[in-house]
Amino acid sequence: MKEKISKKALREAGSSYLLLSPTLFVLLLFIIGPILFAVYLAFHKVELLGITSFEFVGFSNFEKILEDTRAKIALWNTVKYVIIVVPCQTLLALVLAATLNAGLKGEKFFRIVYFLPTLTSSAVLTLIFMWMYNQNGLINNVLKLFGFPTYNWLGDPDVALNAIMIMNIWSTAPFFMVIYLAALQDIPDSLYEAAELDGANTLQKFWYVTVPYLKPVTSFVVIMGLIGTFQLFDQSYIFSKGSGGPNNSTLTVVLLIYQYAFKNLGTMGYAAALAFALAIIILVATLLQRKFSKEESLY
């Protein structure tokens, strides 16, 4: 009886893995394989042009990160970007979702309008904002109209990264708004009715009922925001034409990885080490956020 069961179990397992084999092959070829190869490159000095060579250098690529001034600048720019953009886009998404869930007139129209930036290509949005940020562009013309000083949004190192932040907050918040909106519609009306009986006003109901109920969703939104912001590349690349300027003010870690991997000779291994270090930073940031969110849910 046991032999029949084991043979049947083996046959079923074999059939399952056979059906899964196309997916497993794709995962191995395009996800797991490149990750393992990148880790391999991180410990080698790689020369891909001319005669391809791989020279094992141990941890020297990682040691070089600590001495690389541009890597420190890129990391600081990225961390500053994450610290500002993630809370702002999360708060804006929550406010927009709560507003749309309040049953105001024209709710469906505003849902479409708010969600439009998410449907637009990131590169196209960046080009539109570059036109708006131009010295003779829309934003400066509006500032002039109201008597405010104008800015060199694209050429001033003190302003360039902030300009990218504003664009990303505006373009990413609608995506998270939809997630919040779906969660808001699952909150039982009885909770709000109970709060009203206790004398809670609209703001108190939002703070003491809506926000606590949405904590799991907020945790997800923050984690997705952390991963996305740490990987900032295309906007910074287009804004600075690949240089990370002006004066390295828009240089991010991913843009620096691109520069070392494809613009400098013999630094592919170092670029892989930077990518590996960035992956560790994102993992640690995500785990810390999950830990804090769990601790908050206990109280």
Side-chain angles (χ1 to χ4, degrees):
M1 183 70 177
K2 288 183 179 179
E3 287 184 10
K4 288 183 179 178
I5 293 173
S6 61
K7 286 181 180 179
K8 183 179 179 181
L10 287 172
R11 198 180 306 113
E12 289 179 352
S15 301
S16 301
Y17 281 113
L18 182 63
L19 293 171
L20 286 171
S21 58
T23 303
L24 292 174
F25 175 75
V26 171
L27 287 173
L28 287 170
L29 184 63
F30 294 107
I31 298 178
I32 299 174
I35 291 173
L36 295 176
F37 186 58
V39 173
Y40 171 81
L41 292 178
F43 294 94
H44 291 76
K45 181 180 178 181
V46 184
E47 185 62 62
L48 296 179
L49 296 177
I51 300 174
T52 304
S53 63
F54 300 87
E55 179 187 347
F56 181 75
V57 293
F59 288 93
S60 64
N61 283 330
F62 294 95
E63 293 170 358
K64 187 180 175 183
I65 296 175
L66 301 175
E67 303 169 359
D68 189 349
T69 303
R70 296 190 77 227
K72 294 175 183 177
I73 293 172
L75 180 60
W76 168 242
N77 288 340
T78 305
V79 170
K80 183 167 63 172
Y81 177 85
V82 170
I83 290 172
I84 295 174
V85 171
V86 172
C88 289
Q89 70 183 12
T90 303
L91 180 61
L92 180 59
L94 178 57
V95 171
L96 290 175
T99 304
L100 291 177
N101 195 55
L104 301 175
K105 289 184 178 180
E107 179 184 323
K108 292 182 179 179
F109 170 76
F110 284 110
R111 284 188 188 184
I112 296 171
V113 172
Y114 289 160
F115 194 67
L116 280 177
T118 305
L119 301 176
T120 309
S121 166
S122 176
V124 173
L125 280 176
T126 305
L127 292 173
I128 292 171
F129 269 81
M130 283 183 71
W131 166 76
M132 292 171 62
Y133 286 138
N134 193 284
Q135 285 187 312
N136 296 317
L138 178 64
I139 295 177
N140 278 343
N141 284 330
V142 172
L143 290 173
K144 281 181 186 177
L145 184 64
F146 289 97
F148 292 107
T150 60
Y151 294 95
N152 184 7
W153 297 90
L154 302 178
D156 188 348
D158 296 327
V159 178
L161 186 62
N162 296 328
I164 297 177
M165 289 180 189
I166 293 169
M167 182 193 72
N168 274 279
I169 292 168
W170 176 82
S171 62
T172 54
F175 172 76
F176 298 120
M177 176 199 72
V178 174
I179 298 172
Y180 271 125
L181 193 57
L184 282 169
Q185 293 173 354
D186 288 336
I187 299 178
D189 292 334
S190 58
L191 294 177
Y192 293 111
E193 292 170 0
E196 280 184 14
L197 290 174
D198 289 336
N201 57 33
T202 304
L203 186 61
Q204 288 172 328
K205 284 190 289 184
F206 176 77
W207 185 253
Y208 293 108
V209 177
T210 305
V211 173
Y213 195 90
L214 293 176
K215 275 187 178 178
V217 179
T218 300
S219 178
F220 171 77
V221 168
V222 170
I223 288 172
M224 293 300 293
L226 283 171
I227 295 171
T229 49
F230 267 114
Q231 295 177 337
L232 175 67
F233 170 74
D234 49 350
Q235 296 95 335
S236 179
Y237 180 88
I238 297 171
F239 259 83
S240 64
K241 298 179 182 178
S243 67
N247 196 24
N248 292 326
S249 60
T250 60
L251 182 67
T252 62
V253 176
V254 179
L255 179 56
L256 186 66
I257 291 169
Y258 165 81
Q259 290 177 352
Y260 279 122
F262 301 107
K263 287 193 171 184
N264 298 346
L265 298 177
T267 54
M268 178 68 78
Y270 179 57
L274 280 170
F276 186 76
L278 178 62
I280 297 297
I281 291 171
I282 294 174
L283 177 63
V284 170
T286 303
L287 292 176
L288 286 174
Q289 197 283 329
R290 290 192 63 182
K291 179 178 174 60
F292 289 140
S293 63
K294 285 180 181 178
E295 287 179 354
E296 287 177 4
S297 64
L298 295 176
Y299 296 100

